[in-house]
Amino acid sequence: MMSKYILIVDDSRLSRMISRQYVLSLHKDWKIDEAGTGEEAIELASAHTPFAILLDVNMPGIGGMETASRIRQTHPGTHIILLTANVQHSIQTTAQTLGLGFLPKPLKEPQLHALLNDLEAHP
């Protein structure tokens, strides 16, 4: 099976490290890049087409929703999963409207593994 490219976007270095660890515990061969801002994420996504992006919603500068919206325009096939502690219905509704996945923070390893397995089964 071909190695996939994942982009982890979060202004918290600790959150990026945890997400990276969870992805690699399931798929040791996947290539992972990290971005601390929406701007960085947009640049990385345009340079490499990610299979999936784990994207924090609340970040300084361009927030997660705007970042997702911009990346969606250029990479309609990329799976974008929003990560947020803000589980308000409006955020989930907006995520669904944009065709984005959603996982609550703090991220739990079994939930992320289930989501990644599902994305692989139904690309």
Side-chain angles (χ1 to χ4, degrees), residues 8 15-28 30 32 54 103 106-113 116:
I8 298 171
S15 291
R16 291 194 312 266
M17 284 172 44
I18 291 168
S19 296
R20 173 186 285 269
Q21 182 182 337
Y22 289 174
V23 171
L24 291 176
S25 71
L26 183 65
H27 296 289
K28 294 182 182 358
W30 283 14
I32 299 174
L54 300 177
L103 285 176
L107 187 59
K108 292 179 178 58
E109 193 169 12
Q111 287 177 306
L112 180 60
H113 286 184
L116 291 175

Side-chain angles (χ1 to χ4, degrees), residues 4-99:
K4 294 196 177 0
Y5 173 72
I6 302 289
L7 180 56
I8 298 171
V9 187
D10 199 309
D11 57 319
S12 161
R13 189 170 164 270
L14 179 62
S15 291
R16 291 194 312 266
M17 284 172 44
I18 291 168
S19 296
R20 173 186 285 269
Q21 182 182 337
Y22 289 174
V23 171
L24 291 176
S25 71
L26 183 65
H27 296 289
K28 294 182 182 358
D29 61 329
W30 283 14
K31 176 169 176 14
I32 299 174
D33 265 339
E34 296 179 20
T37 66
E39 292 86 345
E40 253 186 286
I42 291 165
E43 278 182 41
L44 284 168
S46 65
H48 320 274
T49 301
F51 168 70
I53 300 173
L54 300 177
L55 180 60
D56 185 27
V57 171
N58 298 313
M59 295 184 295
I62 302 176
M65 288 297 203
E66 178 63 22
T67 301
S69 172
R70 292 189 192 183
I71 291 173
R72 176 61 74 229
Q73 290 170 13
T74 55
H75 295 77
T78 294
H79 300 287
I80 301 175
I81 299 97
L82 295 178
L83 305 177
T84 184
N86 180 353
V87 290
Q88 291 176 8
H89 186 70
S90 62
I91 297 272
Q92 293 184 35
T93 304
T94 305
Q96 286 177 329
T97 304
L98 290 172

